Amino acid sequence: MNAITRKERNIAGLPVAVIWGYVATLIFMAGDGLEHAWLSPYLIEKGLTVQQSATLFAVYGAVLAIASYFSGVLTEMWGPRKVMIIGLVTWLIGQVLFIEYGLKLNSYAIMLPTYGIRGLGYPLFCYSFLVWVTYRSPDRILATAVGLFWAAWSGGLYVVGSYFPAYMLPKIGYIGLLWSAVAWVLIGGIIGLIVVKDDIRKEQKGNAKEKLKSLLSGFTICIEQPKVAIGGIVRIINSTGIGSLPIFFPMYLSSKYGFTTEQFLQMWGTMWFANIVFNLIIPYISDRWLGWRKTIMWIGSFGMGVMLLVMLYTPQVFGSSFLALNIVGIIMGIVLCGFVPLSALVASLAPEKKGSAMAIVSFGAGMSYFIAPAIVGAFIGSIGVHGVMWIFAGLYFLGAFLMKFMKLPNEGKQNESGHLSEKQAG
């Protein structure tokens, strides 16, 4: 299932359908990300407290984490297309209800459940596609294939999702921007459903016991393969620090140094543009020379811990220099790419249960969107911005330490082509 058939058209070793799936992911995530970098400041201007805004994102993150876990398991049970359809429909329902009955009525009680419903959408749509990619890509380019997915994912969520609102907010306003997201998601969703086939579904016995076993397989694999559990923890850390910044950092930059929301959006988009470019470079370096584990440990985990602190102290040194902030953002976007091989590493630890292993990775990605705002809400009032940033930097350093225990069998030995051998990957 992991090999490409000779009759299938491919580009650089990947099926054309997978390439189009990346396009669908980028467009879908562009729609999903149009509000991420400005929603918290907007809601606070409308009367919410920082803690209430953080709680809203925590609820969204909790639902997202659940959907992220089930995306991998359900993909193996039902096939990717059915799971992607569920993701598309739930996103659309949540978005419409959130706009019409949450934001327009300025009702926090309605915002919580409706924004939560929307949190089911992109994990079910995108992460089920990611599982499909891990099955359809050869081991020799698996990290590169996953890197392309994350390039498309971050390109939509953060690059288009930052530059498009920065340009369109003065023209169509906040609510108009949220409605435009519906068009983005519909287009991406339709493309994805056209190109992705249900060709990885495994036969499932009809009794309830077997179905329950399948649903729990993502957690039982953590007992069978403890390194998969460690990979899930590192995946949580991966997005926790970076995912927390839009919740409180734009207000901090505005109040202390005079940066506008549009400037933060432009910096945010530039950072993720650099991330996309190096998402195509660092996984290649990882596959060929450095190795997956060391890339995650030093470039991803340690690098992000350092750069988060550099981001915090740069305005203190350079004041309101937009150029300095952008340079730091670019470097941060580059080192964040160091986490890309994590999906390939974890999947390779369980070659016969990739869907279950990927369920843990996806669950970790989702949990980060719960943990990040939860930490902000719990500590921002007592230890302030500096204290919270140091907490997140410490988590990244913890991730670097945990990667010491993620060695593959015979790590360090490479075959003649320079990539990890199948024996290593197993």
Side-chain angles (χ1 to χ4, degrees):
M1 210 52 87
N2 200 36
I4 306 291
T5 62
R6 291 184 178 180
K7 294 181 180 179
E8 192 170 25
R9 293 178 56 205
N10 65 81
I11 299 175
L14 291 171
V16 173
V18 171
I19 303 299
W20 276 107
Y22 294 144
V23 174
T25 298
L26 187 147
I27 297 173
F28 188 102
M29 291 309 300
D32 184 80
L34 291 186
E35 90 288 348
H36 282 192
W38 58 260
L39 183 60
S40 183
Y42 172 75
L43 293 175
I44 292 169
E45 289 179 4
K46 298 282 285 184
L48 268 63
T49 65
V50 175
Q51 287 79 6
Q52 284 178 317
S53 176
T55 300
L56 177 69
F57 283 98
V59 169
Y60 172 83
V63 175
L64 192 149
I66 295 170
S68 297
Y69 168 74
F70 283 107
S71 64
V73 181
L74 293 177
T75 297
E76 290 202 331
M77 288 180 61
W78 296 342
R81 291 188 81 252
K82 184 177 292 186
V83 181
M84 291 169 72
I85 290 172
I86 295 172
L88 175 61
V89 171
T90 53
W91 191 97
L92 293 171
I93 292 173
Q95 179 79 346
V96 172
L97 294 178
F98 178 69
I99 296 171
E100 286 295 318
Y101 300 100
L103 289 181
K104 286 188 176 180
L105 299 179
N106 200 29
S107 172
Y108 183 63
I110 297 177
M111 290 180 197
L112 286 172
T114 54
Y115 201 56
I117 290 172
R118 212 196 78 164
L120 293 169
Y122 97 67
L124 294 178
F125 184 88
C126 293
Y127 292 160
S128 57
F129 169 68
L130 177 58
V131 173
W132 190 65
V133 170
T134 64
Y135 273 100
R136 300 299 304 281
S137 304
D139 288 335
R140 61 185 174 81
I141 58 168
L142 183 55
T144 301
V146 172
L148 286 168
F149 167 82
W150 289 115
W153 184 90
S154 58
L157 182 62
Y158 295 118
V159 179
V160 180
S162 297
Y163 283 125
F164 185 79
Y167 176 74
M168 294 300 294
L169 271 176
K171 304 180 185 302
I172 62 177
Y174 293 102
I175 300 300
L177 194 64
L178 289 173
W179 279 117
S180 73
V182 174
W184 285 90
V185 168
L186 271 175
I187 294 170
I190 291 171
I191 294 173
L193 294 176
I194 289 173
V195 300
V196 172
K197 308 298 181 184
D198 283 338
D199 53 1
I200 68 169
R201 184 172 62 250
K202 298 181 179 179
E203 292 296 327
Q204 299 289 333
K205 296 180 180 179
N207 62 74
K209 184 178 179 180
E210 289 296 327
K211 291 182 179 179
L212 178 62
K213 183 179 178 181
S214 296
L215 291 175
L216 296 177
S217 63
F219 291 113
T220 58
I221 198 174
C222 291
I223 300 173
E224 300 167 4
Q225 294 275 5
K227 290 181 181 179
V228 172
I230 295 175
I233 295 172
V234 175
R235 185 62 186 89
I236 292 174
I237 294 170
N238 173 190
S239 297
T240 295
I242 197 71
S244 70
L245 289 181
I247 300 173
F248 67 95
F249 208 59
M251 287 81 76
Y252 170 75
L253 292 175
S254 175
S255 62
K256 294 279 290 185
Y257 302 102
F259 289 102
T260 66
T261 299
E262 287 76 14
Q263 284 179 313
F264 179 81
L265 285 169
Q266 291 169 14
M267 182 277 292
W268 197 242
T270 301
M271 180 187 76
W272 287 103
F273 179 78
N275 179 263
I276 285 181
V277 173
F278 280 84
N279 255 334
L280 308 177
I281 298 172
I282 289 183
Y284 180 82
I285 295 173
S286 175
D287 276 341
R288 294 291 177 178
W289 297 295
L290 189 58
W292 296 344
R293 186 179 67 89
K294 290 181 179 179
T295 301
I296 300 163
M297 176 188 291
W298 293 113
I299 299 179
S301 300
F302 184 79
M304 274 300 299
V306 170
M307 290 311 302
L308 209 61
L309 296 177
V310 173
M311 174 69 75
L312 171 63
Y313 291 108
T314 291
Q316 295 184 27
V317 176
F318 295 97
S320 57
S321 171
F322 185 54
L323 175 61
L325 196 68
N326 271 279
I327 292 173
V328 174
I330 290 170
I331 299 172
M332 182 179 287
I334 292 171
V335 300
L336 188 61
C337 298
F339 284 104
V340 167
L342 183 62
S343 296
L345 175 61
V346 175
S348 295
L349 291 169
E352 301 302 319
K353 296 182 179 180
K354 288 187 177 182
S356 299
M358 290 302 297
I360 294 301
V361 175
S362 299
F363 179 70
M367 276 299 294
S368 66
Y369 287 94
F370 167 74
I371 293 175
I375 290 175
V376 173
F379 294 104
I380 194 76
S382 57
I383 61 177
V385 170
H386 282 67
V388 169
M389 290 286 272
W390 271 97
I391 289 176
F392 289 125
L395 288 175
Y396 280 118
F397 296 139
L398 173 62
F401 173 76
L402 290 175
M403 288 309 300
K404 289 170 61 70
F405 306 100
M406 290 288 286
K407 291 183 179 180
L408 288 167
N410 301 317
E411 181 179 320
K413 295 181 180 180
Q414 295 179 315
N415 62 20
E416 293 179 357
S417 299
H419 56 262
L420 292 172
S421 67
E422 290 187 12
K423 184 178 179 181
Q424 283 179 273

